[in-house]
Amino acid sequence: QFIKWGELFDFAIDKLGADVYATGHYADIKLENGIYKLYPAKDEHKDQLYFLYRLGQRHLSKTIFPLYHYNKTDVKQMAVDFDLPPKDSKESQDICFIQKPMTTKKYLIDKFGSVKGDFIDVLTGKKWGEHSGCYQYTIGQRKGLGISSSEALYVIELRKDTNEVVVGFKDKTFSDRLTAVDLNWIAIDKLEKEISCQAKIRSTQSPANVRVKPLDSGNIEVLFENMQKSIAPGQSVVLYDGDIVLGGGIIL
């Protein structure tokens, strides 16, 4: 939003006068009845639509995805055939700019320091133990908490103002609704009425059936047909109509 389709896109199109702007994302753009729409690429294992929901009509009208009709294995083979540097690159499964032996946790501690805080029980408010910074944990996290309990504990909430990590048993990680803010719709200005569609709260999950209600605040409420595990504030909820991306927002 800010770099690739922000500063770089504007520079390419507005300053350089480029006809099109190409990236290596696995997605497809189709023009239908005067509206640009986002569709999945051929390689279903590399679907990146979830990451592209903040694009708009101006972006899509000038963007092309040359890899949309290739599988990843085809692309890797082309890199070998043409002796390109990425031929030996490995798949990135974590934050790309944090390289071994550095870990994400060490990187965060180096950046923000060690800040003593408490693990708090979601039901009783009981103190389970101490940690060195709530920013080191994620919603739904189970491993690496360092807490001894008769049943596995999960991170339910992060209270950054008080540096508290709220934990609870697995049943407390589920919810059937969320509120989303900072919305972006690909083909409309805003949602005028309730709709039924599908939604993802993380890139790797299958779309879930939802009802989406517009709120007076301009935000939306997303109601899931089935309970969802570990809905994380600050992450994105992306809405789909079948294969087509409608838009999405940031989970409150």
Side-chain angles (χ1 to χ4, degrees):
Q1 179 185 1
F2 301 109
I3 304 299
K4 190 162 285 186
W5 275 278
E7 295 293 330
L8 288 177
F9 179 88
D10 292 342
F11 179 77
I13 302 302
D14 299 335
K15 294 291 198 314
L16 299 182
D19 296 316
V20 291
Y21 181 74
T23 79
H25 288 85
Y26 286 84
D28 190 12
I29 300 170
K30 296 180 181 179
L31 179 61
E32 298 177 349
N33 299 319
I35 297 174
Y36 290 92
K37 298 181 180 180
L38 270 173
Y39 279 87
K42 175 183 176 181
D43 191 341
E44 61 184 24
H45 300 295
K46 295 299 295 183
D47 176 37
Q48 292 182 298
L49 292 181
Y50 177 88
F51 303 103
L52 300 171
Y53 80 92
R54 300 208 69 88
L55 301 186
Q57 289 297 296
R58 177 173 182 262
H59 298 123
L60 296 179
S61 70
K62 294 291 186 178
T63 297
I64 58 172
F65 297 128
L67 302 186
Y68 79 92
H69 60 288
Y70 292 103
N71 288 314
K72 183 63 178 285
T73 51
D74 300 330
V75 177
K76 294 287 284 187
Q77 185 58 50
M78 282 189 283
V80 173
D81 293 342
F82 291 100
D83 195 27
L84 301 176
K87 68 180 182 179
D88 299 318
S89 65
K90 296 181 179 180
E91 291 281 328
S92 175
Q93 300 294 335
D94 208 333
I95 301 174
C96 60
F97 57 82
I98 298 178
Q99 302 292 325
K100 293 181 178 179
M102 180 64 76
T103 65
T104 301
K105 186 171 184 177
K106 289 179 182 177
Y107 177 86
L108 291 172
I109 292 175
D110 285 350
K111 281 286 184 182
F112 303 111
S114 180
V115 186
K116 189 175 178 181
D118 296 330
F119 286 108
I120 302 295
D121 189 276
V122 66
L123 291 178
T124 65
K126 162 191 170 182
K127 177 179 174 180
W128 278 98
E130 296 181 347
H131 57 78
S132 57
C134 68
Y135 56 80
Q136 299 173 35
Y137 303 90
T138 59
I139 301 297
Q141 181 175 337
R142 177 175 66 87
K143 296 181 179 180
L145 301 184
I147 303 174
S148 178
S149 171
S150 59
E151 186 178 337
L153 289 170
Y154 295 76
V155 175
I156 308 298
E157 180 187 355
L158 300 174
R159 296 174 178 168
K160 61 182 181 180
D161 292 338
T162 56
N163 193 29
E164 293 175 322
V165 177
V166 180
V167 297
F169 298 132
K170 187 174 182 179
D171 63 309
K172 296 303 178 184
T173 65
F174 290 91
S175 178
D176 66 351
R177 64 193 60 208
L178 63 83
T179 299
V181 301
D182 191 16
L183 304 170
N184 182 74
W185 301 100
I186 288 178
I188 61 175
D189 292 329
K190 67 176 182 177
L191 189 66
E192 300 286 356
K193 61 181 181 180
E194 180 178 322
I195 61 170
S196 294
C197 59
Q198 297 80 45
K200 285 186 179 185
I201 56 171
R202 54 185 62 88
S203 64
T204 55
Q205 76 171 147
S206 298
N209 291 329
V210 296
R211 289 184 295 119
V212 182
K213 295 181 177 181
L215 302 176
D216 292 339
S217 60
N219 301 325
I220 57 171
E221 183 178 33
V222 180
L223 306 169
F224 291 86
E225 187 176 285
N226 297 309
M227 299 289 277
Q228 300 294 303
K229 185 175 183 293
S230 303
I231 298 176
Q235 297 295 327
S236 293
V237 57
V238 181
L239 306 174
Y240 302 77
D241 180 9
D243 286 337
I244 304 169
V245 180
L246 299 174
I250 305 300
I251 299 170
L252 188 63

